[in-house]
Amino acid sequence: MPGLRESRYSGSEKVFEQACRIIPGGVNSSFRSAEPRLVIRRAEGARLTDADGNEYIDYHAAFGPALLGHNHPAVRRRVAEALESRLLPGVGITELEIELARKIHQHLPSAERVLLCNSGSEATFHAIRVSRASTARKKIIKFQGCYHGFHDSVLCNLANPALKTGSTAAGSAGILPEVLENTVVCAFNDLAGVERALETHRGQIAAIIVEPIAHNMGCVMPRPGFLEGLRQLATAHGAALIFGKADLMDHFKTRPGGDTFYSGTFNGNAVGCAAVLATVELLEREPVHECVFRLGEKVRRGLRDIHERLGVRANVAGYGSVFLTYFLDGPLESYSDLLRNDAERFVEYRRRLIELGIFEMPSNLTRCHVSYSHTEADIDRTLEAVEHVLKQMVGAPSRHKAS
């Protein structure tokens, strides 16, 4: 297989070598580092094309935000219009920002106030800060295996070995231990554990932050009543549950009298606002969710059928447009359950799919996404490739012809 990889990815490898001379590791985000080292030349619809001209059906979708697919015409047109008018005034407000804030509130009524920023890390950073400001408390609760950005308070207990599960383990060098002393880690789906933590640190918890569906672990669903229970516990103990009420948002200094700093040079920039508005407006006009949920269920059902036929020890997880295969048996309710996953097989399976033109990020526990640009034919081709790869891995005969 090394010879095949060298010939298939030789163009990407040459460009990647150049990248490594000026960019540490050759990538601008730790999460983008994976084998094979691909240089992407084009992304359109449900397809990626690399520097060697290899085309892939893409289920990574930039970790999920490319709901419509890459470079969607409606998004492209709206961004082009924004570029011609008001890219980054740096003062006051634009109609685009107001329109986007209204759309967010319209579709997410619990977002009683809206402020725009440019990344999830920025959003969670500000959310935690305003929670501490409004409660005059220091500590927060997060959950093992959940990701909430790169800042010190939450960059811990993402993917730790079994011996560290439940303790507070920094996710990076350079994080101050004093910061993590104010982060309490609980197990996802364990309401009793959250209640114990709140009692142990009574009057000290400013906020509970959670992925409602644990996406960073692949796709771990909340038990019935878990999220409702968090809401009740947070209210009972005077802590924020980070989703966004008006009385919290009004603490920010964007409002006269606010006490919590909020700023960002590119906040509300025209390109981002235009792209989001174009996406939301298409969601309003067309059956996007119905389509991606239907295709998501088709791929999950197809994967389960293949595993059953071949006798593969695996567990297909997902919700809506999300899917992935864990190589394990048994329940999936918390990060500790995922320690049973065969990580080596997980990554090897995905690398073999990449060689057949199916791109799923080849790193352990990473989820996959169906976009509005995927088709029934894409799913059929993907399932055919999956069966071929699994037959190779379990030693069964295969009739698949690589494209």
Side-chain angles (χ1 to χ4, degrees), residues 126-183:
H126 288 299
I128 290 170
R129 175 183 279 174
V130 78
S131 298
R132 286 172 166 154
S134 64
T135 61
R137 298 173 178 179
K138 294 181 179 181
K139 295 184 183 294
I140 63 166
I141 289 176
K142 78 171 292 282
F143 293 88
Q144 184 81 20
C146 290
Y147 178 72
H148 301 290
F150 55 65
H151 47 100
D152 289 6
S153 292
V154 290
L155 191 62
C156 64
N157 294 70
L158 304 179
N160 308 109
L163 291 177
K164 290 185 177 179
T165 301
S167 62
T168 304
S172 172
I175 291 179
L176 296 175
E178 298 91 326
V179 174
L180 288 186
E181 286 174 3
N182 289 304
T183 301

Side-chain angles (χ1 to χ4, degrees), residues 113-115 122-131 133 245-263:
R113 297 285 189 274
V114 176
L115 283 169
E122 293 173 66
T124 56
F125 177 90
H126 288 299
I128 290 170
R129 175 183 279 174
V130 78
S131 298
K245 290 289 185 182
D247 59 342
L248 291 172
M249 298 293 284
D250 285 344
H251 274 268
F252 285 117
K253 281 190 174 182
T254 51
R255 171 183 172 273
D259 61 4
T260 307
F261 185 77
Y262 186 94
S263 185

Side-chain angles (χ1 to χ4, degrees), residues 22-259:
I22 192 66
I23 299 170
V27 292
N28 282 299
S29 173
S30 301
F31 293 124
R32 298 178 193 169
S33 182
E35 295 283 352
R37 305 289 199 183
L38 298 183
V39 174
I40 303 301
R41 287 272 169 84
R42 185 170 183 80
E44 185 163 5
R47 298 295 191 276
L48 298 176
T49 305
D50 68 17
D52 296 276
N54 300 312
E55 186 178 89
Y56 308 91
I57 300 175
D58 176 35
Y59 292 104
H60 182 51
F63 289 97
L67 176 60
L68 302 182
H70 298 288
N71 201 16
H72 192 280
V75 176
R76 189 168 62 242
R77 284 194 299 269
R78 195 69 179 266
V79 167
E81 291 171 6
L83 287 172
E84 292 175 356
S85 55
R86 51 201 185 284
L87 180 58
L88 191 67
V91 66
I93 192 81
T94 65
E95 288 92 348
L96 276 176
E97 295 167 80
I98 300 168
E99 188 179 357
L100 177 53
R102 284 175 174 162
K103 286 286 187 186
I104 292 171
H105 174 68
Q106 174 189 341
H107 293 289
L108 297 171
S110 63
E112 296 175 346
R113 297 285 189 274
V114 176
L115 283 169
L116 304 178
C117 55
N118 292 286
S119 70
S121 292
E122 293 173 66
T124 56
F125 177 90
H126 288 299
I128 290 170
R129 175 183 279 174
V130 78
S131 298
R132 286 172 166 154
S134 64
T135 61
R137 298 173 178 179
K138 294 181 179 181
K139 295 184 183 294
I140 63 166
I141 289 176
K142 78 171 292 282
F143 293 88
Q144 184 81 20
C146 290
Y147 178 72
H148 301 290
F150 55 65
H151 47 100
D152 289 6
S153 292
V154 290
L155 191 62
C156 64
N157 294 70
L158 304 179
N160 308 109
L163 291 177
K164 290 185 177 179
T165 301
S167 62
T168 304
S172 172
I175 291 179
L176 296 175
E178 298 91 326
V179 174
L180 288 186
E181 286 174 3
N182 289 304
T183 301
V184 179
V185 180
C186 293
F188 191 76
N189 272 325
D190 182 5
L191 273 180
V194 176
E195 187 166 17
R196 284 194 300 272
L198 287 163
E199 289 293 342
T200 299
H201 304 282
R202 177 169 282 276
Q204 301 177 63
I205 301 295
I208 300 171
I209 188 167
V210 65
E211 295 180 69
I213 294 175
H215 211 202
N216 187 61
M217 297 185 263
C219 190
V220 177
M221 299 296 293
R223 287 176 181 165
F226 176 65
L227 298 178
E228 294 85 348
L230 290 182
R231 173 70 276 167
Q232 293 166 7
L233 287 171
T235 300
H237 287 263
L241 182 60
I242 292 180
F243 293 141
K245 290 289 185 182
D247 59 342
L248 291 172
M249 298 293 284
D250 285 344
H251 274 268
F252 285 117
K253 281 190 174 182
T254 51
R255 171 183 172 273
D259 61 4

Side-chain angles (χ1 to χ4, degrees), residues 244-400:
K245 290 289 185 182
D247 59 342
L248 291 172
M249 298 293 284
D250 285 344
H251 274 268
F252 285 117
K253 281 190 174 182
T254 51
R255 171 183 172 273
D259 61 4
T260 307
F261 185 77
Y262 186 94
S263 185
T265 300
F266 293 96
N267 288 1
N269 71 82
V271 169
C273 287
V276 176
L277 278 168
T279 300
V280 172
E281 288 167 1
L282 196 140
L283 294 177
E284 292 172 335
R285 294 194 308 270
E286 299 186 20
V288 176
H289 284 94
E290 292 88 339
C291 175
V292 297
F293 277 40
R294 184 184 73 252
L295 292 179
E297 182 55 32
K298 177 182 174 73
V299 71
R300 289 190 295 271
R301 185 173 59 248
L303 289 170
R304 292 184 184 109
D305 289 345
I306 291 169
H307 299 157
E308 186 175 351
R309 280 202 311 275
L310 300 182
V312 175
R313 178 177 172 263
N315 192 320
V316 177
Y319 172 80
S321 62
V322 179
F323 70 93
L324 78 160
T325 297
Y326 298 107
F327 290 97
L328 55 77
D329 291 324
L332 294 172
E333 295 189 340
S334 69
Y335 180 79
S336 59
D337 293 329
L338 303 183
L339 295 173
R340 304 193 311 273
N341 185 50
D342 187 334
E344 184 176 341
R345 172 170 279 205
F346 187 100
V347 173
E348 179 62 20
Y349 162 76
R350 291 192 171 193
R351 286 179 179 162
R352 291 182 184 228
L353 283 176
I354 289 170
E355 294 191 351
L356 295 179
I358 309 299
F359 190 84
E360 299 181 5
M361 189 68 171
S363 58
N364 191 34
L365 304 184
T366 308
R367 70 272 178 186
C368 301
H369 308 84
V370 176
S371 78
Y372 194 44
S373 294
H374 285 92
T375 65
E376 298 272 354
D378 290 333
I379 304 301
D380 291 338
R381 179 180 158 194
T382 299
L383 293 173
E384 182 184 356
V386 165
E387 183 156 5
H388 169 71
V389 165
L390 289 176
K391 283 181 176 178
Q392 285 185 325
M393 293 177 72
V394 301
S398 173
R399 296 188 299 275
H400 182 85

